[in-house]
Amino acid sequence: MAENVPQENNTAEEGEAELRLTWQEQLGISWKTPIGLFGVGLTTVCFTLLILGLFGHMTGLIENHYAAIVTFLIFPAGMLFGLILIPVSFYVRRKRWFRNSLSKVFLVIDFSKKIHRRAVILFLVLSVINLTIFALVVYEAYHFTESDFFCGAVCHTVMDPEYTAYQRSPHAKVGCVQCHIGSGAEWYVKAKLSGLRQVKAVIDGSYSTPIPAPVEHLRPARDTCEACHWPEKFHGKRTKQFIAFSNDNQAEPSIQEVSLHIGGRNPFTDTFEGIHWHVSKDVKVEYQSLNSTRTAIGKIKVTKPNGITEEYEVPGGEGEAPAGDGVWRTMDCIDCHNRPTHVYENLAEKIDLGLFSKKINPELPGIREDSFTVLQTEYATREEAREQIVEDLVTLQAKRHGDDFAREHEAELIASGNYLLEAYLGNVWPAMKVTWGTYKGHNGHQDEADGYGCFRCHDDTHETKFGKTISQSCDLCHDEPQ
Ligand code: HEC
Ligand code: HEC
Ligand code: HEC
Ligand code: HEC
Ligand code: HEC
């Protein structure tokens, strides 16, 4: 292409006339550099595929979510990159010309010339078409990046645990973004910025395993949960049943019923009562969390309607915050319902549910203990678990009762093993270091020993300077269990 470039050996005098190229001429040749040609090619290919993809998605012909990644993210990026290369090529070439003493020509549009009129109209029409398509793509891409599929499945290995637990929860139809982003431009931008960091972490493998809970900057529940739930609602009492077996008695469960005083604003008395008292409009409960999991609590401050505040602390200064970690937080839904949708199951509860529903056959002696052994085995991958679990259960039972027993009860053992496998696949991801009990809930006191739940504050040791404590008496929260 060097022939297009005026040569330096022209003298300035006579060169003047020859070196002048008109704008049309410059435009005509300036993109024909390797960069420019590549740009034009890339844009054309991506553009064509984009149009086809867009058509496919909008008419429903293409339903594959992974195709959407290509259509809405990769093609537009390719097209944009190609488009940018064209002016780059133009710029580079013109710079070379000027260095080679080509005189500058300025763009003059003369509407009295037909060719100029046509060019301008063509330019405008093409721009409108381009912008329309771009707007469509941006719109579709925006929706796509907000979809649960994008959040849950694009970063498959990383998000698989949360996505799986979410899909079986009461919030399976609530979008990830409704809790994690909420409405408003500010949080949208924040989320996209942290999204970019997360994409980088997935690409270079620097993400943490397991992903830490709580999410550091989860938006206050007032903007998310309260878009659907009304804190004042009066729930009254709700009875929950807890069913447990023991290794010695696999057949008869002990059934514990607790009637929880959820409360809310009582329409008869107009007082806000019960467990939901903490989120009533009338009060504000703040606490100082001393560690990142919020399991150690320093001071607690309650502001009541008439402006009276009460401050609780553990006497003896133990509650002093270590530097940087003592974060004050206003209590909201998530301080109790921290696992409203990423609900991982409890190992013992899951096995006992199996026995109760007879999916694990309670008539096989020792099956409860063997189920624990199998589900607590550390398989290297989910694949390995898939291949091993049923076999491992059969082997354990054969060891216990002999091979004949195992052969005789093969069908029941396989059915029980399949239940365990399903339980495993719903709760354990070795690659993400997620296993039984990795994520614990605050909504109760089953994991009290690890610092989770109500007894973080209701511990009879946090007290005001007048010695008032936060009660742990059983009937404060539920009817006295039998
Ligand atoms: C009903 C509200 C809600 C929805 C819907 C929701 N999340 Fe969450 N998510 C939370 C809360 C609350 C936490 C904090 C958990 C904690 O503090 O223990 C969380 C935590 C997480 C975490 C951190 C790891 C963990 O398990 O604690 C990830 C990752 C995550 N969510 C991803 C998702 C994805 C992906 C979706 C959609 C498929 C989604 N979330 C939908 C409320 C929600
Ligand atoms: C987009 C609406 C929406 C948002 C946002 C939402 N929820 Fe829900 N939530 C629901 C619906 C709908 C149900 C009822 C599901 C059912 O009955 O099957 C529900 C049920 C619940 C339940 C009862 C579960 C049970 O076991 O019966 C709790 C607790 C709850 N939500 C807490 C939360 C918390 C905490 C948040 C914020 C992190 C939140 N929700 C955000 C719609 C929402
Ligand atoms: C002090 C802890 C605590 C706080 C704070 C809290 N909840 Fe609850 N909530 C509970 C408990 C305990 C239950 C009983 C059911 C259970 O164990 O899941 C419950 C039950 C519920 C239910 C189910 C009610 C039913 O009739 O089955 C919903 C919905 C709910 N909460 C929503 C919320 C929302 C929304 C917020 C924030 C505005 C909130 N909760 C704040 C502890 C709390
Ligand atoms: C961050 C600290 C904190 C946590 C966590 C906490 N509470 Fe409380 N709770 C308080 C304080 C403070 C009071 C008020 C004590 C008082 O004024 O007597 C209170 C009061 C209550 C009351 C009495 C409300 C009334 O009508 O006066 C109930 C019921 C209750 N809590 C249940 C729960 C349950 C259930 C959980 C766990 C799911 C829980 N709390 C977790 C701090 C906490
Ligand atoms: C601060 C509130 C609170 C206090 C005080 C409290 N509980 Fe509970 N308890 C709960 C909540 C909330 C649940 C429901 C947990 C769930 O939904 O998973 C529960 C569940 C239970 C269960 C059934 C679950 C299990 O662990 O087997 C038993 C049993 C129980 N409580 C016993 C007691 C006893 C005994 C006391 C008195 C020493 C007591 N609780 C005091 C809030 C409380």
Side-chain angles (χ1 to χ4, degrees), residues 284-300:
K284 185 157 141 193
V285 181
E286 293 162 283
Y287 69 87
Q288 190 185 25
S289 70
L290 302 183
N291 59 3
S292 64
T293 49
R294 300 180 189 147
T295 46
I297 291 190
K299 293 179 183 157
I300 302 158

Side-chain angles (χ1 to χ4, degrees), residues 252-287:
E252 292 142 31
S254 77
I255 297 179
Q256 177 75 67
E257 274 191 357
V258 292
S259 187
L260 293 156
H261 307 163
I262 306 173
R265 184 163 310 276
N266 189 328
F268 301 106
T269 60
D270 201 38
T271 50
F272 206 108
E273 54 191 49
I275 298 173
H276 276 177
W277 165 86
H278 309 76
V279 288
S280 137
K281 280 206 303 289
D282 309 339
V283 294
K284 185 157 141 193
V285 181
E286 293 162 283
Y287 69 87

Side-chain angles (χ1 to χ4, degrees), residues 373-430:
T373 311
V374 168
L375 285 185
Q376 281 169 321
T377 307
E378 288 186 16
Y379 299 101
T381 60
R382 283 162 64 84
E383 274 317 307
E384 192 185 313
R386 215 173 251 139
E387 284 161 19
Q388 290 294 319
I389 281 186
V390 177
E391 203 179 311
D392 285 356
L393 181 71
V394 176
T395 313
L396 283 171
Q397 282 275 304
K399 226 189 255 165
R400 206 182 266 276
H401 309 293
D403 288 342
D404 288 344
F405 177 91
R407 246 191 312 276
E408 208 175 300
H409 296 91
E410 197 183 356
E412 292 138 274
L413 283 172
I414 290 177
S416 306
N418 279 331
Y419 175 83
L420 296 182
L421 175 58
E422 202 186 302
Y424 178 95
L425 293 177
N427 291 284
V428 184
W429 283 262

Side-chain angles (χ1 to χ4, degrees), residues 225-226 229 231 235 238 240 260 262 275-276 278-279 331-333 336-337 443:
C225 319
E226 291 183 23
H229 297 283
H235 293 279
R238 175 177 161 189
K240 266 186 119 169
L260 293 156
I262 306 173
I275 298 173
H276 276 177
H278 309 76
V279 288
M331 198 168 171
D332 66 22
C333 320
C336 298
H337 299 283
N443 206 15

